[in-house]
């Protein structure tokens, strides 16, 4: 059962920049054609890096419509997803991310999976969010976003009402990332799961 408790706030990390930072350094792949669409992609990326998300989204959409076979298409879908994410258009971001989410060879594959989980969490799509976050932890366990994904999985599991599993994964998080600044967040959601299981004393010990 999805979590409907008064204990459940949504701590969407709107300042979650680590997963998005890579797009700022994503240069277009070279295109030798005289009228190269790479210039249009570069314009969109430039707008994104300046924080002009609506304008950047419009340019990415034009680029994708004009040259859907361009080598930069995966990067464009990623950039467009970042724009939608920053604008709070989470379902639109999901639609873009799902176009590239299965490509493990994509240079920002871990970022894509983690952002997808964040969007799904914001949409209260808890089960899909767990799968997206778990994919990061399993496929890229040493990635800088692995801890963020593991914390997101605990949050999503708690939201889905899978409290025992949430507590199990919270313990796994504590064992692997004991010094992580995200530990407080994991402990908060673990405490909520404890309270949902009527373990108020156990919940109190986590604070």
């Amino acid at each position: 059962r999805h979590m409907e408790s008064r204990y459940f706030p949504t701590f969407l990390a709107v300042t979650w920049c680590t997963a998005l930072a890579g797009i700022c350094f994503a240069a277009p792949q070279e295109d030798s054609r005289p009228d190269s669409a790479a210039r249009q992609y570069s314009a969109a990326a430039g707008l994104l890096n300046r924080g002009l998300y609506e304008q950047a989204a419009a340019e990415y959409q034009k680029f994708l419509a004009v040259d859907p076979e361009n080598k930069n298409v995966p990067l464009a879908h990623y950039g467009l997803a970042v724009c939608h994410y920053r604008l709070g258009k989470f379902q639109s971001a999901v639609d873009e991310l799902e176009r590239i989410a299965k490509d493990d060879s994509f240079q920002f594959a871990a970022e894509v999976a983690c952002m997808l989980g964040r969007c799904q969490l914001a949409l209260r799509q808890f089960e899909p969010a767990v799968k997206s976050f778990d994919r990061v932890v399993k496929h890229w366990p040493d990635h800088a976003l692995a801890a963020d994904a593991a914390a997101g999985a605990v949050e999503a599991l708690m939201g889905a009402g899978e409290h025992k599993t949430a507590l199990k994964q919270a313990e796994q998080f504590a064992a692997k990332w004991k010094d992580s600044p995200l530990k407080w967040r994991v402990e908060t959601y673990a405490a909520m799961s404890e309270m949902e299981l009527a373990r108020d004393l156990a919940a109190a010990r986590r604070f």
Side-chain angles (χ1 to χ4, degrees), residues 3 7 158 163-164 166-168 170-171 186-207:
M3 184 72 168
Y7 297 120
M158 192 280 295
H163 302 300
K164 291 183 179 179
L167 291 170
K168 180 180 179 180
E171 295 305 316
V186 173
E187 286 298 296
T188 297
Y189 286 110
M192 292 177 185
S193 282
E194 296 280 21
M195 287 187 282
E196 290 299 317
L197 293 171
R199 301 175 183 172
D200 292 350
L201 183 58
R205 289 177 181 147
R206 291 183 178 274
F207 294 105

Side-chain angles (χ1 to χ4, degrees), residues 25-95:
F25 304 99
Q29 298 184 38
E30 292 186 4
D31 190 336
S32 60
R33 288 174 296 177
D35 186 19
S36 176
R39 287 194 294 273
Q40 189 171 13
Y41 167 85
S42 294
L47 289 166
L48 171 59
N49 294 339
R50 290 164 57 194
L52 301 173
Y53 304 121
E54 290 186 0
Q55 295 93 321
E59 290 303 313
Y60 278 125
Q61 288 167 337
K62 290 178 184 177
F63 168 80
L64 290 167
V66 169
D67 196 353
E69 302 301 322
N70 191 281
K71 292 180 180 179
N72 294 310
V73 163
L75 286 170
H77 284 302
Y78 178 42
L80 182 53
V82 172
C83 292
H84 289 318
Y85 180 86
R86 289 300 196 185
L87 292 168
K89 299 178 180 179
F90 301 117
Q91 186 56 58
S92 294
V94 168
D95 293 340

Side-chain angles (χ1 to χ4, degrees), residues 142-156:
D142 299 319
H143 194 281
L145 286 175
D148 188 283
V154 173
E155 180 178 351

